[in-house]
Amino acid sequence: VCSSDLSNPEEMIIDREDLSVIEGKIGQMLSDLEKDVLVRYMEGKSYVEISEEMCRHVKSIDNALQRIKRKLMKYLEEK
């Protein structure tokens, strides 16, 4: 974000609206499990921490993150 963008309230509102649309799309694309994993991952938690919190195998967490990455890449390519 450029400093000129920060001084323009209209641009900031548009950026927030774009972010809201993107978040909505991501919410539609991902399963509940994938959303939960993504939130925890973005909080900086390790695969092991996530697996312990969710009572899932580490491999299940890894698979969910791989699916998330594929879905997000596909969305970005289509955009």
Side-chain angles (χ1 to χ4, degrees), residues 2-77:
C2 297
S3 60
S4 63
D5 290 344
L6 295 176
S7 63
N8 185 342
E10 290 176 11
E11 284 295 321
M12 290 174 64
I13 291 170
I14 290 170
D15 289 345
R16 283 190 200 131
E17 289 173 355
D18 288 345
L19 181 59
S20 179
V21 168
I22 291 169
E23 287 174 342
K25 282 286 190 192
I26 290 171
Q28 292 172 357
M29 292 184 327
L30 302 181
S31 70
D32 290 340
L33 170 68
E34 292 165 346
K35 285 185 244 183
D36 290 343
V37 169
L38 180 59
V39 166
R40 288 174 168 85
Y41 184 75
M42 293 183 69
E43 290 172 348
K45 296 182 180 171
S46 71
Y47 284 34
V48 173
E49 290 171 320
I50 297 169
S51 71
E52 289 172 354
E53 286 180 9
M54 298 183 69
C55 300
R56 300 265 186 166
H57 292 283
V58 173
K59 185 62 181 170
S60 174
I61 303 306
D62 180 56
N63 289 343
L65 284 167
Q66 295 305 318
R67 288 192 305 275
I68 292 165
K69 289 176 188 176
R70 278 195 306 273
K71 289 177 181 182
L72 293 178
M73 290 303 294
K74 182 178 178 186
Y75 171 73
L76 291 173
E77 288 171 0

